[in-house]
Amino acid sequence: MGRLGELDLPDRLAPWVPRWATSVAVGLLATACAALVRFLLDTLVPGAAVFPLLFPAAMIATLFARWLAGATASTVSILFGWYYLYPVKNSFHFETSAQAVTVGSVIIAAAITVALAEMFRRSVHRATQERDRQIAERELFLEEFDHRVKNNFTLVAALLDMQRRRAGEGETADALTSALARVESIARAHRHLYRGAATPGTVDMASYLHELCTALADALFLRGAITIECGSDHAAIPRDRAVSIGLVVNELVTNAAKHAFKGREGGTISVRFAAHPPGWRLIVADNGMGMSAETRATGRPGGLGQRLIDGFVRQARGTMLVESGSDGTVVTVDLAA
Protein backbone atom coordinates (compact mmCIF):
# COMPACT_ATOMS: atom_id res chain seq x y z
CA MET A 1 0.00 0.00 0.00
CA GLY A 2 2.90 2.35 0.70
CA ARG A 3 4.08 1.90 -2.88
CA LEU A 4 0.63 2.89 -4.17
CA GLY A 5 0.74 6.02 -2.05
CA GLU A 6 4.10 6.98 -3.54
CA LEU A 7 2.85 6.65 -7.13
CA ASP A 8 1.34 10.03 -8.04
CA LEU A 9 0.22 9.80 -11.68
CA PRO A 10 -0.83 13.47 -12.01
CA ASP A 11 2.70 14.55 -11.05
CA ARG A 12 4.30 11.94 -13.30
CA LEU A 13 2.28 13.06 -16.34
CA ALA A 14 2.18 16.79 -15.48
CA PRO A 15 4.65 17.82 -18.21
CA TRP A 16 2.30 16.47 -20.88
CA VAL A 17 -1.20 16.26 -19.33
CA PRO A 18 -2.92 18.66 -16.87
CA ARG A 19 -3.15 17.15 -13.40
CA TRP A 20 -6.94 17.42 -13.24
CA ALA A 21 -7.27 15.62 -16.58
CA THR A 22 -5.11 12.76 -15.36
CA SER A 23 -7.17 12.48 -12.16
CA VAL A 24 -10.46 12.41 -14.07
CA ALA A 25 -9.12 9.88 -16.57
CA VAL A 26 -7.91 7.55 -13.80
CA GLY A 27 -11.27 7.88 -12.04
CA LEU A 28 -13.13 6.94 -15.23
CA LEU A 29 -10.77 4.03 -15.84
CA ALA A 30 -11.35 2.72 -12.32
CA THR A 31 -15.10 3.09 -12.84
CA ALA A 32 -14.91 1.15 -16.11
CA CYS A 33 -13.00 -1.69 -14.44
CA ALA A 34 -15.53 -1.85 -11.60
CA ALA A 35 -18.40 -1.81 -14.14
CA LEU A 36 -16.82 -4.71 -16.04
CA VAL A 37 -16.55 -6.78 -12.87
CA ARG A 38 -20.12 -5.77 -11.97
CA PHE A 39 -21.31 -6.91 -15.42
CA LEU A 40 -19.65 -10.31 -14.96
CA LEU A 41 -21.26 -10.69 -11.53
CA ASP A 42 -24.64 -9.67 -12.93
CA THR A 43 -24.53 -12.52 -15.43
CA LEU A 44 -24.19 -14.94 -12.50
CA VAL A 45 -26.42 -13.25 -9.93
CA PRO A 46 -28.62 -10.61 -11.59
CA GLY A 47 -29.30 -7.53 -9.51
CA ALA A 48 -26.81 -8.39 -6.72
CA ALA A 49 -24.07 -6.15 -5.30
CA VAL A 50 -25.05 -2.88 -6.96
CA PHE A 51 -22.75 -0.53 -5.04
CA PRO A 52 -19.96 -2.42 -3.17
CA LEU A 53 -17.47 -2.42 -6.05
CA LEU A 54 -17.36 1.37 -6.13
CA PHE A 55 -15.43 1.47 -2.83
CA PRO A 56 -12.28 -0.36 -3.98
CA ALA A 57 -12.47 1.52 -7.28
CA ALA A 58 -12.63 4.88 -5.49
CA MET A 59 -9.85 3.95 -3.07
CA ILE A 60 -7.46 2.73 -5.78
CA ALA A 61 -8.19 5.75 -7.98
CA THR A 62 -7.44 8.08 -5.05
CA LEU A 63 -4.17 6.35 -4.20
CA PHE A 64 -2.98 6.52 -7.78
CA ALA A 65 -4.31 9.94 -8.82
CA ARG A 66 -5.48 11.99 -5.79
CA TRP A 67 -8.92 12.72 -4.37
CA LEU A 68 -10.37 14.04 -7.64
CA ALA A 69 -9.90 10.62 -9.22
CA GLY A 70 -11.64 8.95 -6.28
CA ALA A 71 -14.46 11.49 -6.37
CA THR A 72 -14.88 10.91 -10.11
CA ALA A 73 -15.02 7.14 -9.69
CA SER A 74 -17.48 7.43 -6.78
CA THR A 75 -19.77 9.93 -8.48
CA VAL A 76 -19.98 8.12 -11.81
CA SER A 77 -20.43 4.72 -10.14
CA ILE A 78 -23.16 5.95 -7.78
CA LEU A 79 -25.08 7.79 -10.51
CA PHE A 80 -24.83 4.82 -12.85
CA GLY A 81 -25.97 2.31 -10.21
CA TRP A 82 -28.69 4.63 -8.96
CA TYR A 83 -30.19 5.32 -12.39
CA TYR A 84 -29.78 1.98 -14.13
CA LEU A 85 -29.89 -0.57 -11.31
CA TYR A 86 -31.26 0.64 -7.98
CA PRO A 87 -33.95 1.12 -6.83
CA VAL A 88 -35.97 1.76 -10.00
CA LYS A 89 -34.23 1.01 -13.29
CA ASN A 90 -33.80 3.97 -15.68
CA SER A 91 -34.95 6.38 -13.01
CA PHE A 92 -33.67 8.41 -10.04
CA HIS A 93 -36.94 7.93 -8.15
CA PHE A 94 -37.27 6.04 -4.85
CA GLU A 95 -40.16 3.77 -4.00
CA THR A 96 -39.55 3.95 -0.26
CA SER A 97 -37.67 6.17 2.16
CA ALA A 98 -35.44 3.20 3.05
CA GLN A 99 -34.11 3.18 -0.50
CA ALA A 100 -33.21 6.86 -0.20
CA VAL A 101 -31.39 6.15 3.07
CA THR A 102 -29.50 3.31 1.38
CA VAL A 103 -28.29 5.51 -1.46
CA GLY A 104 -27.47 8.30 0.99
CA SER A 105 -25.44 5.88 3.09
CA VAL A 106 -23.53 4.74 0.00
CA ILE A 107 -22.71 8.38 -0.85
CA ILE A 108 -21.46 9.07 2.69
CA ALA A 109 -19.44 5.84 2.76
CA ALA A 110 -17.88 6.66 -0.62
CA ALA A 111 -16.92 10.15 0.61
CA ILE A 112 -15.33 8.69 3.74
CA THR A 113 -13.45 6.12 1.63
CA VAL A 114 -12.06 8.83 -0.65
CA ALA A 115 -11.14 11.05 2.31
CA LEU A 116 -9.31 8.27 4.15
CA ALA A 117 -7.48 7.18 1.00
CA GLU A 118 -6.42 10.77 0.33
CA MET A 119 -5.19 11.17 3.92
CA PHE A 120 -3.18 7.99 3.59
CA ARG A 121 -1.77 9.09 0.21
CA ARG A 122 -0.70 12.47 1.59
CA SER A 123 0.90 10.96 4.69
CA VAL A 124 2.88 8.54 2.52
CA HIS A 125 3.89 11.41 0.23
CA ARG A 126 5.13 13.44 3.21
CA ALA A 127 7.01 10.43 4.57
CA THR A 128 8.60 9.86 1.15
CA GLN A 129 9.71 13.50 0.96
CA GLU A 130 11.22 13.27 4.45
CA ARG A 131 12.99 10.04 3.52
CA ASP A 132 14.41 11.60 0.35
CA ARG A 133 15.58 14.61 2.34
CA GLN A 134 17.33 12.42 4.89
CA ILE A 135 18.95 10.37 2.13
CA ALA A 136 20.19 13.54 0.45
CA GLU A 137 21.64 14.80 3.75
CA ARG A 138 23.30 11.45 4.39
CA GLU A 139 24.82 11.38 0.91
CA LEU A 140 26.15 14.90 1.43
CA PHE A 141 27.66 13.83 4.75
CA LEU A 142 29.22 10.73 3.17
CA GLU A 143 30.69 12.82 0.36
CA GLU A 144 32.23 15.19 2.89
CA PHE A 145 33.51 12.28 4.98
CA ASP A 146 34.90 10.56 1.88
CA HIS A 147 36.66 13.77 0.87
CA ARG A 148 38.28 14.13 4.27
CA VAL A 149 39.39 10.49 4.36
CA LYS A 150 40.92 10.84 0.89
CA ASN A 151 42.80 13.90 2.06
CA ASN A 152 44.08 12.00 5.09
CA PHE A 153 45.28 9.10 2.95
CA THR A 154 46.96 11.52 0.58
CA LEU A 155 48.68 13.30 3.47
CA VAL A 156 49.97 10.04 5.00
CA ALA A 157 51.17 8.79 1.61
CA ALA A 158 52.94 12.11 0.93
CA LEU A 159 54.71 12.01 4.30
CA LEU A 160 55.85 8.42 3.74
CA ASP A 161 57.05 9.24 0.24
CA MET A 162 58.97 12.28 1.53
CA GLN A 163 60.67 10.19 4.22
CA ARG A 164 61.46 7.48 1.68
CA ARG A 165 63.15 9.97 -0.62
CA ARG A 166 65.20 11.36 2.26
CA ALA A 167 66.23 7.87 3.31
CA GLY A 168 67.94 7.28 -0.04
CA GLU A 169 68.88 3.62 -0.55
CA GLY A 170 68.85 0.78 1.93
CA GLU A 171 66.56 -1.09 4.29
CA THR A 172 64.89 2.05 5.62
CA ALA A 173 63.90 3.17 2.14
CA ASP A 174 62.60 -0.33 1.33
CA ALA A 175 60.56 -0.42 4.53
CA LEU A 176 59.05 3.00 3.79
CA THR A 177 58.28 1.90 0.22
CA SER A 178 56.42 -1.14 1.55
CA ALA A 179 54.53 0.98 4.06
CA LEU A 180 53.59 3.44 1.31
CA ALA A 181 52.29 0.62 -0.86
CA ARG A 182 50.14 -0.69 2.01
CA VAL A 183 48.64 2.73 2.67
CA GLU A 184 47.88 3.20 -1.03
CA SER A 185 46.26 -0.24 -1.17
CA ILE A 186 43.91 0.68 1.69
CA ALA A 187 43.17 4.06 0.08
CA ARG A 188 42.40 2.35 -3.21
CA ALA A 189 39.89 0.04 -1.53
CA HIS A 190 38.29 3.07 0.10
CA ARG A 191 37.85 4.74 -3.28
CA HIS A 192 36.19 1.64 -4.72
CA LEU A 193 33.84 1.53 -1.74
CA TYR A 194 31.87 4.43 -3.28
CA ARG A 195 31.73 3.31 -6.88
CA GLY A 196 30.84 0.26 -8.92
CA ALA A 197 29.65 -1.95 -6.06
CA ALA A 198 26.23 -3.56 -6.27
CA THR A 199 25.75 -3.46 -2.49
CA PRO A 200 26.48 -0.51 -0.17
CA GLY A 201 29.56 -1.06 1.98
CA THR A 202 31.19 -3.46 -0.50
CA VAL A 203 34.01 -3.27 -3.02
CA ASP A 204 33.92 -4.68 -6.55
CA MET A 205 36.98 -6.93 -6.58
CA ALA A 206 37.46 -6.96 -10.36
CA SER A 207 38.00 -3.21 -10.71
CA TYR A 208 39.82 -2.98 -7.37
CA LEU A 209 42.39 -5.68 -8.15
CA HIS A 210 42.98 -4.47 -11.70
CA GLU A 211 43.71 -0.97 -10.42
CA LEU A 212 45.87 -2.38 -7.62
CA CYS A 213 47.96 -4.47 -10.02
CA THR A 214 48.46 -1.50 -12.33
CA ALA A 215 49.61 0.64 -9.41
CA LEU A 216 51.98 -2.10 -8.20
CA ALA A 217 53.48 -2.40 -11.68
CA ASP A 218 54.14 1.33 -11.70
CA ALA A 219 55.47 1.44 -8.13
CA LEU A 220 57.77 -1.56 -8.58
CA PHE A 221 58.99 -0.48 -12.01
CA LEU A 222 57.78 -3.69 -13.63
CA ARG A 223 57.09 -2.18 -17.04
CA GLY A 224 59.11 -4.23 -19.50
CA ALA A 225 60.80 -7.51 -18.67
CA ILE A 226 58.69 -8.37 -15.60
CA THR A 227 54.94 -8.10 -16.10
CA ILE A 228 51.86 -8.47 -13.91
CA GLU A 229 48.79 -10.25 -15.26
CA CYS A 230 45.53 -9.74 -13.39
CA GLY A 231 42.20 -11.50 -13.77
CA SER A 232 39.23 -11.34 -11.44
CA ASP A 233 35.57 -12.23 -11.29
CA HIS A 234 33.15 -9.49 -10.32
CA ALA A 235 32.39 -10.02 -6.65
CA ALA A 236 30.99 -7.59 -4.07
CA ILE A 237 33.19 -8.11 -1.00
CA PRO A 238 32.74 -6.21 2.30
CA ARG A 239 35.13 -3.28 2.59
CA ASP A 240 37.29 -4.56 5.47
CA ARG A 241 37.67 -7.97 3.88
CA ALA A 242 38.52 -6.46 0.50
CA VAL A 243 41.24 -4.35 2.15
CA SER A 244 42.77 -7.49 3.70
CA ILE A 245 42.71 -9.29 0.34
CA GLY A 246 44.29 -6.28 -1.35
CA LEU A 247 47.04 -6.17 1.26
CA VAL A 248 47.73 -9.89 0.73
CA VAL A 249 48.08 -9.23 -3.01
CA ASN A 250 50.29 -6.22 -2.28
CA GLU A 251 52.68 -8.24 -0.10
CA LEU A 252 52.81 -11.29 -2.38
CA VAL A 253 53.40 -9.30 -5.56
CA THR A 254 56.03 -7.14 -3.87
CA ASN A 255 57.86 -10.22 -2.56
CA ALA A 256 57.76 -11.88 -5.97
CA ALA A 257 59.04 -8.76 -7.72
CA LYS A 258 61.93 -8.43 -5.27
CA HIS A 259 63.02 -12.04 -4.86
CA ALA A 260 61.59 -14.36 -7.53
CA PHE A 261 63.57 -13.15 -10.55
CA LYS A 262 67.09 -12.60 -9.23
CA GLY A 263 69.53 -13.36 -12.02
CA ARG A 264 66.77 -13.46 -14.62
CA GLU A 265 65.99 -10.95 -17.31
CA GLY A 266 62.23 -11.28 -17.20
CA GLY A 267 59.23 -13.08 -15.82
CA THR A 268 55.52 -12.94 -15.12
CA ILE A 269 53.51 -12.48 -11.94
CA SER A 270 49.85 -13.44 -12.23
CA VAL A 271 47.00 -12.52 -9.88
CA ARG A 272 43.70 -14.40 -10.12
CA PHE A 273 40.57 -13.97 -8.03
CA ALA A 274 37.57 -16.15 -8.80
CA ALA A 275 34.56 -17.83 -7.27
CA HIS A 276 35.44 -21.17 -5.73
CA PRO A 277 32.54 -22.78 -3.85
CA PRO A 278 31.74 -22.26 -1.08
CA GLY A 279 33.62 -18.96 -1.33
CA TRP A 280 36.40 -17.46 -3.44
CA ARG A 281 39.98 -18.30 -4.33
CA LEU A 282 42.93 -15.93 -4.73
CA ILE A 283 46.01 -17.18 -6.58
CA VAL A 284 49.24 -15.21 -6.86
CA ALA A 285 51.82 -17.04 -8.96
CA ASP A 286 55.17 -16.29 -10.58
CA ASN A 287 57.47 -18.21 -12.92
CA GLY A 288 60.61 -17.24 -11.05
CA MET A 289 63.32 -19.23 -9.34
CA GLY A 290 61.15 -20.54 -6.50
CA MET A 291 61.76 -20.53 -2.76
CA SER A 292 63.94 -22.80 -0.72
CA ALA A 293 62.37 -25.19 1.77
CA GLU A 294 63.68 -23.08 4.66
CA THR A 295 62.20 -19.88 3.23
CA ARG A 296 58.81 -21.55 2.71
CA ALA A 297 58.83 -22.72 6.33
CA THR A 298 60.11 -19.62 8.12
CA GLY A 299 59.77 -16.79 5.64
CA ARG A 300 62.53 -14.53 4.39
CA PRO A 301 65.03 -12.93 6.77
CA GLY A 302 63.37 -10.43 9.04
CA GLY A 303 60.02 -12.24 8.75
CA LEU A 304 57.83 -9.11 8.86
CA GLY A 305 56.42 -9.62 5.37
CA GLN A 306 55.42 -13.21 6.10
CA ARG A 307 53.85 -12.27 9.43
CA LEU A 308 51.89 -9.53 7.71
CA ILE A 309 50.70 -11.92 5.02
CA ASP A 310 49.58 -14.46 7.63
CA GLY A 311 47.75 -11.75 9.55
CA PHE A 312 46.02 -10.36 6.45
CA VAL A 313 44.95 -13.86 5.39
CA ARG A 314 43.38 -14.43 8.82
CA GLN A 315 41.60 -11.07 8.63
CA ALA A 316 40.19 -12.09 5.24
CA ARG A 317 38.94 -15.38 6.79
CA GLY A 318 41.12 -17.44 4.50
CA THR A 319 43.63 -20.27 4.51
CA MET A 320 46.88 -20.15 2.54
CA LEU A 321 48.84 -22.83 0.67
CA VAL A 322 52.30 -22.16 -0.78
CA GLU A 323 53.73 -24.36 -3.53
CA SER A 324 57.19 -23.57 -4.88
CA GLY A 325 59.68 -25.20 -7.17
CA SER A 326 62.24 -24.46 -9.84
CA ASP A 327 59.49 -23.31 -12.20
CA GLY A 328 58.11 -20.71 -9.79
CA THR A 329 55.88 -20.15 -6.77
CA VAL A 330 52.12 -20.43 -6.45
CA VAL A 331 50.34 -19.03 -3.40
CA THR A 332 46.67 -20.09 -3.07
CA VAL A 333 44.36 -18.40 -0.60
CA ASP A 334 40.93 -19.98 -0.15
CA LEU A 335 38.38 -17.59 1.29
CA ALA A 336 35.22 -18.67 3.06
CA ALA A 337 31.89 -17.31 1.86
Side-chain angles (χ1 to χ4, degrees):
M1 291 294 287
R3 296 283 184 181
L4 293 178
E6 291 184 36
L7 182 58
D8 193 335
L9 288 178
D11 270 351
R12 294 282 182 91
L13 301 179
W16 306 281
V17 183
R19 288 182 174 84
W20 68 266
T22 301
S23 295
V24 171
V26 172
L28 294 176
L29 178 61
T31 302
C33 293
L36 178 60
V37 176
R38 174 69 186 78
F39 173 78
L40 296 175
L41 288 176
D42 198 52
T43 59
L44 300 175
V45 186
V50 175
F51 294 112
L53 290 176
L54 77 87
F55 299 112
M59 180 179 65
I60 293 174
T62 303
L63 292 176
F64 274 105
R66 306 184 178 185
W67 69 268
L68 182 57
T72 301
S74 300
T75 301
V76 174
S77 296
I78 290 173
L79 290 176
F80 179 85
W82 183 3
Y83 186 81
Y84 289 104
L85 302 174
Y86 181 89
V88 180
K89 290 186 177 181
N90 301 320
S91 173
F92 287 115
H93 295 293
F94 299 110
E95 294 180 340
T96 65
S97 59
Q99 293 172 346
V101 172
T102 298
V103 174
S105 300
V106 169
I107 294 172
I108 294 172
I112 293 174
T113 300
V114 172
L116 292 176
E118 177 66 11
M119 290 172 59
F120 175 79
R121 188 194 66 80
R122 292 189 180 189
S123 64
V124 170
H125 184 65
R126 287 193 296 269
T128 301
Q129 288 182 321
E130 178 64 18
R131 180 198 63 191
D132 292 342
R133 184 188 65 80
Q134 291 178 354
I135 290 175
E137 289 182 352
R138 184 178 64 181
E139 289 179 349
L140 180 63
F141 170 77
L142 287 175
E143 287 178 3
E144 177 65 20
F145 177 75
D146 179 42
H147 179 69
R148 291 180 182 274
V149 171
K150 285 180 179 178
N151 288 343
N152 291 337
F153 276 127
T154 301
L155 177 60
V156 173
L159 291 173
L160 288 172
D161 187 51
M162 182 176 63
Q163 291 297 325
R164 182 190 63 173
R165 294 176 185 275
R166 288 183 178 180
E169 302 292 336
E171 293 183 0
T172 301
D174 291 342
L176 289 171
T177 299
S178 298
L180 177 60
R182 290 161 191 150
V183 170
E184 289 179 341
S185 180
I186 298 172
R188 194 168 289 106
H190 175 80
R191 289 198 298 273
H192 280 274
L193 181 63
Y194 295 96
R195 67 179 193 233
T199 306
T202 64
V203 173
D204 178 62
M205 292 303 294
S207 56
Y208 172 43
L209 288 180
H210 276 91
E211 186 176 319
L212 176 59
C213 289
T214 300
L216 286 171
D218 291 335
L220 298 171
F221 306 101
L222 297 183
R223 300 289 186 186
I226 300 176
T227 60
I228 296 181
E229 297 177 350
C230 184
S232 174
D233 290 348
H234 287 281
I237 303 296
R239 186 262 321 272
D240 292 340
R241 203 173 184 192
V243 168
S244 298
I245 295 170
L247 290 171
V248 170
V249 172
N250 181 83
E251 296 296 326
L252 292 175
V253 171
T254 301
N255 286 346
K258 288 182 178 180
H259 305 289
F261 304 104
K262 288 183 178 179
R264 298 193 180 191
E265 294 184 356
T268 301
I269 303 170
S270 67
V271 177
R272 296 286 182 270
F273 182 86
H276 183 76
W280 300 273
R281 172 170 284 181
L282 170 69
I283 299 176
V284 180
D286 65 69
N287 59 357
M289 58 190 297
M291 294 187 295
S292 65
E294 180 181 358
T295 301
R296 290 198 301 272
T298 62
R300 292 188 170 86
L304 175 61
Q306 187 60 47
R307 291 198 300 273
L308 288 174
I309 292 172
D310 292 340
F312 296 146
V313 169
R314 286 194 300 271
Q315 287 179 6
R317 304 206 315 271
T319 56
M320 183 173 63
L321 174 65
V322 179
E323 300 172 291
S324 187
S326 58
D327 57 348
T329 301
V330 178
V331 179
T332 303
V333 180
D334 285 324
L335 301 158

